[in-house]
Amino acid sequence: MAPTETEPPPTPTFLKLSYPAPRVLLIRMDRPKDLNAMSTAAQWEMDSVWKWFDLEPLLSVAIITGTGRAFSAGADLKEWNNSMSGDADPKNRMGNSPAFKPLSRRLGKKPVIAAVNGLAMGAGCEFAINCDLVIAAEDAYFGLPEVKRGIAAIGGALPRLIRTIGLQRASEFALTGRNASAQEMFQWSIVNKVVPKEQVVDEAIKYAETIAKNSPDAIICTRAGLRQSWETASVERAVELTLEKEWAELQRGENIQEGLKAFAEKREPRWKGSRL
């Protein structure tokens, strides 16, 4: 039984869920024969898991990784090709704007760590770019090869790349469609740490455990402040938005009282599940 208040959604197609540490969710993309490429059904499965994760009060941090030699090869191009055939309904084309936001465009409330165990191409690379932390295997590599296939990386990575690495580097990466090593992505500040392949998930769990020991409310509020700064043009407006919403909610919760009381009493805090 999951160590959560609510049951996770069913994940029969693509994902395997586990709980390697208190308040930590490990999500494993599990189509190794297809390099963890994502079908439409797989994307819907992920959407339901992210929504549940944000609402589940006993989870604070998620890790996403892949089975086999790939993190993810991105969208299932075979399905995409079939959806473009002459007898297919244009409304069902895989490249249409979906009714959900994939991980590459997820806003969410709680942090997600990418444990990039191998190749991260297309949407798989876009996923990593939008994660809060990225741990990469030494032999992992990243790429946005869409321009080589007649499509474009429209899953959310392009504006996020600009914010993180600047116009010239983002242009080089996205317009050439070339691969970048884990070490290069570390130098570009997209990857937090590069480790041997066999250590990538364990290292991500260490980061997740460190985060999850903190106040669940404070984690959500702090991440909101960081994300608002990334999304909002005005730094001061980002502060105001976080003060008006997450900080106001945090002050009405039990965890702020528990954290301050535990400090005064020189003991470890006993956090409650977040209601932010």
Side-chain angles (χ1 to χ4, degrees), residues 73 120-123 143-151 173-174 176-179:
M121 305 297 286
L144 296 174
E146 283 87 344
V147 289
K148 297 180 177 181
R149 302 290 179 262
I151 52 181
F173 186 54
T176 64
R178 73 170 180 85
N179 296 340

Side-chain angles (χ1 to χ4, degrees), residues 5 53 57 137 139 145 150 163 167 169 187 208 211 233 238 242 245 265:
E5 284 190 6
F53 165 64
D139 62 349
R163 293 292 178 96
L167 175 62
R169 281 178 170 174
Q187 293 168 355
I211 295 169
T242 307
K245 186 179 178 184
E265 296 175 356

Side-chain angles (χ1 to χ4, degrees), residues 188-220:
W188 285 3
S189 300
I190 290 174
V191 167
N192 294 81
K193 192 171 184 178
V194 180
V195 298
K197 188 181 185 74
E198 63 274 11
Q199 297 177 19
V200 68
V201 173
D202 288 341
E203 190 66 26
I205 292 171
K206 289 179 184 177
Y207 274 89
E209 284 184 299
T210 302
I211 295 169
K213 288 177 182 177
N214 298 319
S215 161
D217 295 343
I219 292 168
I220 291 173

Side-chain angles (χ1 to χ4, degrees), residues 13-16 27-43 45-46 64-77 79 94 103 115-125 127 197 201:
T13 303
F14 187 51
L15 301 177
K16 289 187 176 179
I27 302 170
R28 188 176 294 275
M29 297 179 281
D30 193 47
R31 282 182 80 195
K33 291 182 180 179
D34 297 298
L35 301 180
N36 301 321
M38 290 165 284
S39 63
T40 301
Q43 291 275 27
E45 198 170 284
M46 293 188 77
I64 185 164
T65 193
T67 300
R69 68 185 185 91
F71 177 71
S72 174
D76 188 331
L77 295 186
E79 180 183 336
M94 197 172 181
L103 177 57
V116 182
N117 56 297
L119 67 91
M121 305 297 286
C125 180
F127 281 5
K197 188 181 185 74
V201 173

Side-chain angles (χ1 to χ4, degrees), residues 95-244:
N96 291 345
S97 180
F100 55 84
K101 285 189 177 181
L103 177 57
S104 56
R105 293 180 61 200
R106 173 184 177 265
L107 300 176
K109 296 194 301 182
K110 300 174 184 177
V112 177
I113 301 173
V116 182
N117 56 297
L119 67 91
M121 305 297 286
C125 180
E126 294 194 82
F127 281 5
I129 289 167
N130 193 38
C131 281
D132 300 280
L133 287 84
V134 181
I135 312 301
E138 291 173 332
D139 62 349
Y141 58 92
F142 302 74
L144 296 174
E146 283 87 344
V147 289
K148 297 180 177 181
R149 302 290 179 262
I151 52 181
I154 44 76
L158 300 180
R160 289 168 172 83
L161 275 174
I162 292 291
R163 293 292 178 96
T164 304
I165 66 176
L167 175 62
Q168 284 72 28
R169 281 178 170 174
S171 297
E172 175 192 342
F173 186 54
L175 291 174
T176 64
R178 73 170 180 85
N179 296 340
S181 68
Q183 192 60 44
E184 186 171 12
M185 295 297 253
F186 173 75
Q187 293 168 355
W188 285 3
S189 300
I190 290 174
V191 167
N192 294 81
K193 192 171 184 178
V194 180
V195 298
K197 188 181 185 74
E198 63 274 11
Q199 297 177 19
V200 68
V201 173
D202 288 341
E203 190 66 26
I205 292 171
K206 289 179 184 177
Y207 274 89
E209 284 184 299
T210 302
I211 295 169
K213 288 177 182 177
N214 298 319
S215 161
D217 295 343
I219 292 168
I220 291 173
C221 184
T222 301
R223 181 184 183 273
L226 294 167
R227 287 274 167 163
Q228 283 291 359
S229 303
W230 202 33
E231 298 277 348
T232 308
S234 166
V235 174
E236 265 305 301
R237 183 58 182 147
V239 175
E240 290 168 359
L241 290 169
T242 307
L243 283 171
E244 291 166 5

Side-chain angles (χ1 to χ4, degrees), residues 83-85 88-99:
S83 75
M84 297 291 290
S85 64
D89 188 340
K91 292 185 295 185
N92 295 327
R93 285 180 176 174
M94 197 172 181
N96 291 345
S97 180

